[in-house]
Amino acid sequence: MWCSSEGAGRAGDTYCTTVGGSVEPDDADLEAALRREVLEEIGATIGPVAEFLTLTEPRGTTTVVQHYFLADLLEMDLARRHGPELDDPDTGAFEPIRVEASRPAVAALNLQPAELADYVLGHVEAWRT
């Protein structure tokens, strides 16, 4: 499992999250957006993907939907990273870290959002096979 460790802006707390972002007009679908974000944020390519969690959060007049996918990391080259997240000083440090696929390793992270952390803790052992 890979996650990105980011400074939490003004709060200064360190937390981990997954690669993420929005679907851009040039993205054919969610999977295309995922592959673009993975390349931008961690300079990686991934194999086949499977969606494992969807979170929906109403925010006033809009609703934010977050899709989480499981995929094998095929290759990663940090020199290929690019995008607005890396250029924005308000995001803090934004570095990929490797995390063992085990309950103790995941539990040691401040994985956000909490719903994602709960789901991963409940399923990470099964993903190891």
Side-chain angles (χ1 to χ4, degrees):
M1 177 174 147
W2 288 85
C3 69
S4 298
S5 176
E6 303 180 47
R10 296 182 186 102
D13 296 332
T14 299
Y15 64 95
C16 290
T17 191
T18 61
V19 169
S22 299
V23 177
E24 301 291 335
D26 291 342
D27 295 328
D29 53 24
L30 282 175
E31 184 175 332
L34 170 65
R35 292 180 184 283
R36 178 185 47 75
E37 290 287 353
V38 166
L39 183 59
E40 286 178 5
E41 293 184 14
I42 64 173
T45 57
I46 55 176
V49 303
E51 186 170 357
F52 66 87
L53 179 65
T54 303
L55 300 177
T56 303
E57 179 183 348
R59 290 188 186 168
T61 59
T62 63
T63 299
V64 175
V65 180
Q66 298 176 358
H67 300 270
Y68 293 92
F69 296 86
L70 185 63
D72 288 331
L73 182 73
L74 299 179
E75 55 140 352
M76 186 170 78
D77 179 355
L78 296 178
R80 295 188 309 186
R81 296 171 65 198
H82 63 283
E85 298 89 353
L86 302 176
D87 299 329
D88 185 352
D90 289 337
T91 62
F94 189 77
E95 298 298 326
I97 60 172
R98 183 174 175 88
V99 178
E100 179 185 347
S102 71
R103 282 188 57 83
V106 173
L109 302 172
N110 180 12
L111 184 59
Q112 297 296 320
E115 298 89 346
L116 172 64
D118 291 343
Y119 189 94
V120 172
L121 282 169
H123 294 84
V124 68
E125 297 293 337
W127 291 345
R128 291 169 46 148
T129 58

